[in-house]
Amino acid sequence: MRKIIVCTFLTLDGVMQAPGNPEEDPESSFTHGGWQKPVSDDEAGAAIAGWYETSDAMLLGRKTYEIFASYWPTADPGNPFTDRMNSMHKYVASRTLTSVDWQNSTLLEGDAVEAVRELKAAEGGDIQVVGSGDLAQTLMRHDLVDEYRLTIHPVIIGTGKHLFADGAIPTALDPVSIETTKSGTTVAVYRTTGKPTYDSY
């Protein structure tokens, strides 16, 4: 069984929107795009690069796919991520796209949840959900996420899309690894373990 792994950059207050640049996702008049680079470092970058070693595919929503497809095919070949991003298989969940042209991309047909269940059951390596907040929340609601790989950066911006939005399904997590980089970024990996338990003091 392949694992579905949600890989996301977060602010300390849980915002995942537009970490890369100001124009990345201005939805809802978001004015904090590009918040990640000033609060990241090479240790976080190395950890993120390592996350791709066990995966052979990405699962993307439409917005993230279009952002990536407009950048990576012509990105600097000296960037260590460029070849990996272009060569990995990309599965795209979208209700509006009719085709996907980026190298090694496949548009999922029919219901996205059922399509992801079929991907999990197929042979292959782990599948990373990168960005794609709406898709990630859909997968969470249907208990399809096996692991979270998060970089939590030392900045609070107060507004924006959250990975764990209102209505998130209660889920217990087992910490696989947690490290802090020199910039204060927490690099955390959690495995889902079912429903949380409750107790009192």
Side-chain angles (χ1 to χ4, degrees), residues 104-118:
N104 297 327
S105 294
T106 299
L107 184 62
L108 297 179
E109 297 182 357
D111 180 71
V113 170
E114 290 306 314
V116 172
R117 287 198 177 106
E118 291 179 8

Side-chain angles (χ1 to χ4, degrees), residues 10-15 32 35-36 38-39 152-158 184:
L10 299 174
T11 64
L12 190 61
D13 54 331
V15 175
H32 302 286
W35 54 262
Q36 184 190 24
V39 290
I152 305 166
H153 299 271
V155 62
I156 295 170
I157 57 178

Side-chain angles (χ1 to χ4, degrees), residues 4 8 11 14 35-36 40 58 70 85 100 103 111 138 140 150 160 171 180:
I4 300 295
T8 304
T11 64
W35 54 262
Q36 184 190 24
S40 193
M58 288 184 287
S70 68
M85 297 296 280
V100 286
Q103 174 186 349
D111 180 71
T138 296
M140 291 179 212
L150 311 174
T171 304
T180 302

